Amino acid sequence: PPGSYSGVQYMAGIGYYGDVCLLHTDESVTCLQNLPPSWLSNVVKLTTGGNHTCALKSDGTVECWGDTYYGVLSIPSGLNAVKQVSAGYGYTCVLRSNGKVNCWGKNSNGQTNVPSWLANVIQISAGWSHVCALKTNGTVQCWWSSSYVPAGLTGIVDIATGNGTTCALKSDNSTQCWTWYGLLNGSIGTLAHLPQWLPNTISPSFDEKKISIWSDNYYRHNVCHITSTATVECSRDDNYNYDHGEA
């Protein structure tokens, strides 16, 4: 329920229906809407999708809860050795320790059909109906409803996906975002609304370490960066919609 929580080391949200889940330092989980199973423990990472949440456990297995639509809670039998889990709208993808990617759930645009040629993956991000993978050579591969990737895009260290939109954080601390229509023009947009206790300015040279995106009810996409000093910098564009984020 809403309130003040301590010992929080990770937050996952906001899903299509606005859920937010917190991972505590004791590896327990608190969610504001879809409550996690009472027996859930040893969680090391969280991700929220359309109306479901998945947890990566310390033993490399995955647990999911929430809506049962599209078979999103039907975790493949024998799934283990998972390094990362990313939830999209009605589907989930995982990256395993052998560099392979597995997806299940809603497949309206082929988003769970992982390309057979995909290899050397170090990070994945599941959006509304497309998935992107960051490879060991700093390049990005995306598939299905928004498979477009800007030509010559290299030096990528982090990726995030939303509703047909993808953002990539580069090693020089610059950010490139694009949609299925092509590149977003110019900067991301105007400064997003931030809590008063967070910085309210964006420096063009701040040291970015992590990128995250999500949407609000007015179809504005918000791009936020976590810096090396543990501060958060955000900007917003009103033209495209992101569907979830993690920080």
Side-chain angles (χ1 to χ4, degrees), residues 108-210:
S108 57
N109 292 284
Q111 57 266 46
T112 63
N113 296 336
V114 180
S116 58
W117 43 259
L118 187 68
N120 302 317
V121 177
I122 57 175
Q123 183 192 354
I124 55 173
S125 183
W128 184 270
S129 57
H130 78 291
V131 186
C132 290
L134 174 60
K135 303 181 69 175
T136 53
N137 62 0
T139 63
V140 176
Q141 297 284 340
C142 302
W143 59 93
W144 304 109
S145 70
S146 185
S147 59
Y148 169 81
V149 176
L153 186 68
T154 59
I156 305 304
V157 297
D158 194 36
I159 54 173
T161 56
N163 188 356
T165 313
T166 306
C167 285
L169 175 63
K170 304 184 71 174
S171 57
D172 63 1
N173 293 329
S174 64
T175 300
Q176 179 67 71
C177 295
W178 65 93
T179 76
W180 48 51
Y181 302 107
L183 291 171
L184 292 179
N185 293 326
S187 61
I188 300 302
T190 57
L191 187 68
H193 296 292
L194 291 175
Q196 292 182 356
W197 47 268
L198 288 178
N200 59 4
T201 59
I202 294 181
S203 167
S205 61
F206 68 91
D207 187 14
E208 305 171 14
K209 295 301 180 184
K210 182 72 177 175

Side-chain angles (χ1 to χ4, degrees), residues 1 9 19 35 38 44 69 72 79 87 96 100 116 123-124 140 142-143 155 167-168 173 194 200 210 218 230 244-245:
Q9 62 171 322
D19 202 6
L35 299 181
S38 59
V44 295
Y69 296 148
V72 71
L79 184 68
R96 306 180 72 177
K100 299 294 185 180
S116 58
Q123 183 192 354
I124 55 173
V140 176
C142 302
W143 59 93
C167 285
N173 293 329
L194 291 175
N200 59 4
K210 182 72 177 175
Y218 299 98
H244 73 289

